[in-house]
Amino acid sequence: MGNKKKYTDWVPHPMVQFDLWQSNFMTVLQIVANLALIGIPTGANSQLAALLALQATYASAYAAAPPHGNATKSARKTRNDARKAYISGAGGIRKTVAEYIRNNSKVTNALKIELGLIVATLAHTPSMLRAEVDYPNVQVKSNSPGTVTFTIHDKDSPKSTGKPADIHHALVEYIIQAANLPLPASPDACTKHFEPQKMITTLNVGMASSGMRLCGFACWVDNKGVLHYFGPVFSCIIT
């Protein structure tokens, strides 16, 4: 298996992506027709009430310590604890999915896709996907020792620094390696990631990285927390 990532479950790991995903999950879940179809109990002290309470606690903690802010250590711990309880605590998302959704034959794959539990299967080649699906283009350059500036734009607007409609932010998977090594073949070969909220972002990769090559892939994350397809590999030499 080498260093290939192991995606062990359907809950997104990056914090911003999880926050978007859970909001979409709860919105779709609470559609009256879906509640009736799935069979989740409602009312006081019900499974849904417990899940909503966990969500409210998490949302408050997340707002107080967003991942790209300057929150205190205690606020970040409160956020992380609330996230864990929301996912795996009594009445949390994992229990809800396991008990009511995953093995419920009435829940169609289409609804599971809407909930973000599975992704649609597309029988397309990578080149066809790139022709049909929006992905970000990335220009990277090192302007000063130990830093790399990313300019991210829509593939159809190479001079823009805006985001397509319904896109929340970009997600970049990258690796820093010796300049003479071959470029990675896919995002699975990358070991680091970050989620730039601005379309022009400078990343401090450290003076020790000077002379190395930074290379990677980027994709859009939409307002539902769903990843769109990764674009082609990019790279630059770190000064």
Side-chain angles (χ1 to χ4, degrees):
M1 296 294 290
N3 293 323
K4 187 175 182 179
K5 295 178 183 176
K6 297 180 180 178
Y7 297 101
T8 56
D9 59 37
W10 40 265
V11 178
H13 294 285
M15 286 181 286
V16 174
Q17 185 189 343
F18 172 77
D19 187 60
L20 292 167
W21 173 87
Q22 66 80 25
S23 177
N24 175 73
F25 177 89
M26 293 298 294
T27 299
V28 175
L29 183 71
Q30 292 181 86
I31 294 172
V32 174
N34 291 344
L35 283 174
L37 180 70
I38 295 170
I40 296 178
T42 60
N45 302 317
S46 68
Q47 184 80 13
L48 181 61
L51 190 56
L52 286 170
L54 289 170
Q55 184 194 35
T57 300
Y58 160 78
S60 296
Y62 183 90
H68 300 291
N70 294 315
T72 63
K73 183 177 181 180
S74 61
R76 293 196 301 270
K77 183 179 186 305
T78 298
R79 178 199 65 205
N80 294 339
D81 288 346
R83 181 183 186 276
K84 291 176 183 177
Y86 183 23
I87 294 173
S88 301
I93 290 174
R94 280 204 176 105
K95 184 175 181 180
T96 299
V97 172
E99 188 170 353
Y100 295 99
I101 300 176
R102 179 156 286 175
N103 296 316
N104 184 345
S105 60
K106 294 181 180 179
V107 180
T108 64
N109 282 344
L111 179 52
K112 289 179 180 178
I113 290 170
E114 280 290 309
L115 290 165
L117 302 179
I118 61 175
V119 297
T121 299
L122 298 173
H124 294 316
T125 66
S127 60
M128 290 171 64
L129 288 172
R130 286 179 178 167
E132 296 172 1
V133 181
D134 279 336
Y135 61 84
N137 273 344
V138 181
Q139 297 172 349
V140 293
K141 58 182 179 180
S142 186
N143 295 320
S144 61
T147 66
V148 173
T149 297
F150 295 78
T151 302
I152 301 171
H153 50 77
D154 184 351
K155 69 179 178 66
D156 295 322
S157 303
K159 294 184 179 180
S160 76
T161 54
K163 296 180 290 188
D166 299 323
I167 295 299
H168 185 268
H169 68 284
L171 183 145
V172 177
E173 301 280 355
Y174 70 97
I175 188 171
I176 297 174
Q177 61 184 31
N180 62 339
L181 292 177
L183 295 175
S186 76
D188 285 340
C190 299
T191 57
K192 300 177 182 292
H193 86 272
F194 78 109
E195 300 176 9
Q197 301 300 293
K198 298 179 180 179
M199 295 301 98
I200 300 179
T201 301
T202 297
L203 185 66
N204 187 343
V205 295
M207 292 288 291
S209 299
S210 295
M212 305 282 279
R213 183 191 298 275
L214 183 147
C215 39
F217 304 82
C219 71
W220 295 120
V221 180
D222 67 22
N223 290 323
K224 292 183 178 180
V226 176
L227 272 68
H228 290 234
Y229 291 91
F230 283 92
V233 66
F234 60 79
S235 70
C236 79
I237 301 298
I238 303 166
T239 58

